[in-house]
Amino acid sequence: MSAYKDLALSALTAHSTAAIKIVYPPATGTLSARDLAIHPGPESPWLHQVTWLRDVGERVVLPPAGNLDTSRVGFLIVTADSAEAAQDSLSRLADALTLSVAP
């Protein structure tokens, strides 16, 4: 999904791996939809955190006119036992993400 970019995949620790996705809009405009169908909790314990930086109705501006502060919509943090499992979880989140902008 083009609205999704990897920020980093952490190094494997003795207990787990964490991965972070920064959520970017598909284009510059006014955020018209922002939803993630999967939520942190007992049904998805691998989803550690969902943080939204922009609300629906706010303007998002991608580079070159914008910068990291104006382009980021949010970020997601997952944990897993391996880097591969963490990437699989991020892929599940990409499928569960609704994100759109109006010009």
Side-chain angles (χ1 to χ4, degrees):
M1 174 175 252
S2 64
Y4 240 35
K5 282 195 172 181
D6 281 325
L7 173 67
L9 182 64
S10 76
L12 184 63
T13 67
H15 301 288
S16 66
T17 297
I20 301 171
K21 281 281 194 190
I22 301 296
V23 180
Y24 292 96
T28 292
T30 300
L31 191 60
S32 57
R34 181 210 74 190
D35 186 56
L36 186 64
I38 301 172
H39 303 281
E43 293 181 12
S44 52
W46 47 270
L47 181 51
H48 180 74
Q49 182 177 344
V50 175
T51 299
W52 297 114
L53 303 172
R54 299 281 179 269
D55 291 321
V56 169
E58 289 189 71
R59 184 143 176 86
V60 290
V61 183
L62 294 171
N67 56 44
L68 293 177
D69 291 330
T70 63
S71 63
R72 291 179 176 171
V73 174
F75 63 90
L76 314 169
I77 302 174
V78 300
T79 56
D81 291 330
S82 69
E84 182 178 319
Q87 287 297 331
D88 289 346
S89 293
L90 291 176
S91 293
R92 284 180 65 189
L93 293 176
D95 294 339
L97 179 67
T98 300
L99 187 67
S100 59
V101 297

